[in-house]
Amino acid sequence: MFQYLQGQLYCEQVDLKTLAAQHGTPAYVYSKNAILERWHEYQRALCSIPNRVCYAVKANSNLAVLATLARAGAGFDIVSGGELFRVLKAGGDPASVVFSGVGKTANEISFALERGIHSFNCESEAEIALISQIASASGLKASIALRVNPDVNAKTHPYISTGLREHKFGVDINAAEDIYRRAALLPGITAEGVSCHIGSQLLELDPLLEAADKTLALVARLREGGLPIRFLDLGGGLGVKYRPNERNASIADFAARLRPKLESLNLTLMLEPGRSIVAEAGILLTQVLLIKRNGQKTFVIVDGAMNDLLRPALYQAHHEVTPVIEMPAETMTADVVGPVCETGDFFARDRRLPALQPGDLIALRTAGAYGFVLSSNYNSRPRPCELLIDGRRVFVARSRETFDDLMRGESLP
Ligand SMILES: *Cc1c(COP(=O)(O)O)cnc(C)c1O
C-alpha cells in the first residue's frame, strides 16, 4: 500500500509529499485497506476452523483503527480498562473481547464484567480468586482461561519473548491442572479456556506450533478430568518483515499447520494478533532538518524523534528509511537521529542512504504497530498527528498535539 508512482511515494492514492504539506511532520500515516487486507487474510486462512480473532489493541489503539476492525467483525484483546473503554467507543462488541494482562485491578475486572466481555485470560491463581469474588458478589458468571507458560523458546528479542518459565507471564503449564481443579470449585466463574502467548515478532512457526501441541495436550488432560474446555487461545506473535530480506511465516501457513491438530476437537481457536495486522500498514513521515558531520560520522537530523517512535531506542529495532521523492542509489552512510537530548534517540545507525538534503521527506516504514502507542511528550514535544488513508481520502484519526495539550491537567501552584 506504500509504493512509488512516478517517483513519488504514495499511501494508497495519496501522495505523501502533498500530505506532509497539508498536515505537517512528523505524522503517522496508516493505510486503512492494508489493515483490512491483513484482517481478511486471517479470516480466509482460518475459515475452516471454528475461530475468533481478537485484535491486540495495544499494538495500535487509535479509535479509527479500532472502528475499522470492529466494522470488519474483529474481536479485541485488551490489557487494561482504558483499552476496553476505547473498544466500546469504537463500536466494538464487548462479547468478543478477551482481557489479558498480569495485573488487572478490581475496578477493571468489575468494568469488564458489567460490560459483558467474552472472557478473562488469567495469569495467576490469585487473579482467578479475585474475579470469582467480584463476579459472585454481583451475581455474574465470568468465563476464564488460564494463561499457561508452555516453556518454549520463541527465538525473538528478549524484551518481547514471554513464554519461558522465568518470565512474569502466565503460570507453569505443569501446575495448571491443579489450578483448574481448584478454580472449578469457585463460584462466579467458568473455567472453559486455555490460553498462552509466547512472544512477539516470531518469524518462525515452530515455537507457535510447539506451544499449540503442549496446550492441546493440556486441553485433553483437563477434559479427561471433567472440565468442559471450549476455547484454545494461542495469543498473538506472528512477525512481520522489518527488513526487505527478512522472511516471516505467513498466516495461511500457520493456519494450515494448525488445522490438522484441531480437527474434530470441538474447540474454538482464538488468536490475538496485533503487530501482524497493523505494522506494515503504517509509516512515520518525517522531514530532514539538517545534515551534520562530526569527525567521520554523518548525522541526518529529522523532526521526528524517539518520543514519537521508540522502537529503535527500546529494542534496537530496524525500520527501513524510504525517501518520499525517489532518489538514486545510496551514496552515504549515516545515522538518522531526532532532536531529543538522548544518545538513544536514533532511528537508524550506520545506514546506507541516498544523498538526503535538508527539507527532504522520509518514511520510516513498518511503524503501524507499537509506534504511536509508545509515544510520549518527552522534551515537551507535542505528539504527531495520525492520518488514516482510504483510497484518495485522508481522515485525521488524531490531530497533532498543541502546546496547550502538553500542559493539560497541570496547574500553577
Ligand atoms: C502483546 C500481546 C499480543 C499481541 O502480540 P503481537 O506480537 O503484536 O501479535 C497478544 N496477546 C497478548 C497477551 C499480548 O500481551
Side-chain angles (χ1 to χ4, degrees):
M1 295 291 175
F2 293 91
Q3 55 193 4
Y4 285 115
L5 259 173
Q6 285 159 350
Q8 293 224 36
L9 192 62
Y10 278 70
C11 174
E12 300 200 18
Q13 293 164 49
V14 172
D15 87 84
L16 295 176
K17 183 165 180 253
T18 308
L19 194 68
Q22 284 168 349
H23 296 275
T25 51
Y28 275 97
V29 183
Y30 309 130
S31 158
K32 179 177 172 180
N33 289 295
I35 295 171
L36 287 172
E37 214 165 80
R38 299 318 294 279
W39 167 256
H40 289 127
E41 208 176 323
Y42 269 97
Q43 291 309 298
R44 269 197 309 278
L46 295 170
C47 65
S48 61
I49 303 172
N51 75 84
R52 186 184 296 249
V53 178
C54 297
Y55 166 68
V57 173
K58 75 174 194 279
N60 184 328
S61 57
N62 184 285
L63 281 183
V65 170
L66 299 183
T68 297
L69 288 164
R71 285 171 204 160
F76 296 94
D77 170 49
I78 60 164
V79 292
S80 71
E83 286 192 350
L84 176 56
F85 191 78
R86 280 182 176 276
V87 166
L88 297 172
K89 272 263 189 279
D93 178 5
S96 63
V97 168
V98 295
F99 196 163
S100 302
V102 287
K104 306 173 183 77
T105 68
N107 279 339
E108 288 176 319
I109 292 167
S110 301
F111 177 39
L113 276 171
E114 281 160 21
R115 298 305 151 102
I117 67 163
H118 176 268
S119 57
F120 294 85
N121 284 343
C122 300
E123 304 221 12
S124 63
E125 200 163 359
E127 182 192 332
I128 297 176
L130 181 61
I131 294 172
S132 160
Q133 197 188 323
I134 295 170
S136 52
S138 41
L140 295 167
K141 201 99 178 158
S143 169
I144 66 152
L146 183 64
R147 175 168 172 185
V148 298
N149 208 321
D151 205 31
V152 301
N153 185 352
K155 298 185 204 145
T156 183
H157 189 281
Y159 284 11
I160 49 178
S161 168
T162 54
L164 289 175
R165 215 169 263 144
E166 66 258 33
H167 294 135
K168 71 174 176 181
F169 303 100
V171 303
D172 189 334
I173 194 163
N174 299 311
E177 276 170 273
D178 286 340
I179 296 175
Y180 274 100
R181 211 167 294 130
R182 290 191 286 271
L185 305 173
L186 295 177
I189 57 170
T190 314
E192 53 185 357
V194 169
S195 79
C196 73
H197 169 75
I198 59 168
S200 201
Q201 184 53 12
L202 310 178
L203 293 172
E204 292 171 30
L205 289 178
D206 289 344
L208 283 164
L209 294 164
E210 191 186 334
D213 287 336
K214 289 188 169 177
T215 48
L216 278 167
L218 174 64
V219 170
R221 292 198 297 276
L222 293 171
R223 284 178 163 181
E224 275 163 30
L227 266 172
I229 302 295
R230 298 164 55 207
F231 302 100
L232 175 65
D233 184 341
L234 293 178
L238 272 194
V240 299
K241 275 164 47 165
Y242 284 101
R243 300 166 197 262
N245 60 354
E246 224 159 22
R247 290 189 47 177
N248 62 330
S250 78
I251 297 159
D253 282 349
F254 185 34
R257 291 179 67 184
L258 277 176
R259 191 170 298 115
K261 299 180 191 293
L262 296 167
E263 226 142 62
S264 64
L265 280 185
N266 198 17
L267 200 58
T268 297
L269 171 71
M270 304 183 68
L271 293 177
E272 305 167 349
R275 189 191 310 270
S276 55
I277 302 243
V278 289
E280 287 155 316
I283 60 153
L284 180 65
L285 186 60
T286 181
Q287 186 169 37
V288 178
L289 297 176
L290 47 97
I291 310 289
K292 174 171 171 175
R293 290 192 176 81
N294 258 359
Q296 297 300 309
K297 285 206 72 120
T298 303
F299 295 94
V300 175
I301 302 176
V302 297
D303 63 1
M306 66 185 287
N307 73 293
D308 304 309
L309 176 62
L310 188 61
R311 297 189 70 259
L314 189 59
Y315 315 115
Q316 292 102 41
H318 178 97
H319 289 272
E320 284 290 303
V321 174
T322 308
V324 164
I325 304 297
E326 203 167 14
M327 294 175 82
E330 288 103 25
T331 54
M332 65 174 179
T333 300
D335 287 13
V336 180
V337 303
V340 161
C341 308
E342 295 279 348
T343 306
D345 181 24
F346 65 90
F347 289 133
R349 281 194 163 149
D350 294 324
R351 189 75 63 87
R352 292 295 294 164
L353 294 168
L356 292 165
Q357 296 294 324
D360 284 348
L361 293 162
I362 57 175
L364 294 160
R365 307 292 293 272
T366 327
Y370 307 105
F372 186 89
V373 286
L374 281 167
S375 67
S376 76
N377 291 122
Y378 189 39
N379 280 208
S380 281
R381 290 169 50 85
R383 280 182 291 181
C385 57
E386 293 177 279
L387 308 168
L388 185 70
I389 309 300
D390 181 9
R392 55 182 78 254
R393 272 178 312 187
V394 179
F395 178 72
V396 180
R398 194 180 203 272
S399 49
R400 182 179 304 286
E401 288 181 343
T402 64
F403 285 168
D404 281 329
D405 290 332
L406 292 176
M407 277 152 273
R408 175 160 308 148
E410 292 182 38
S411 44
L412 287 165

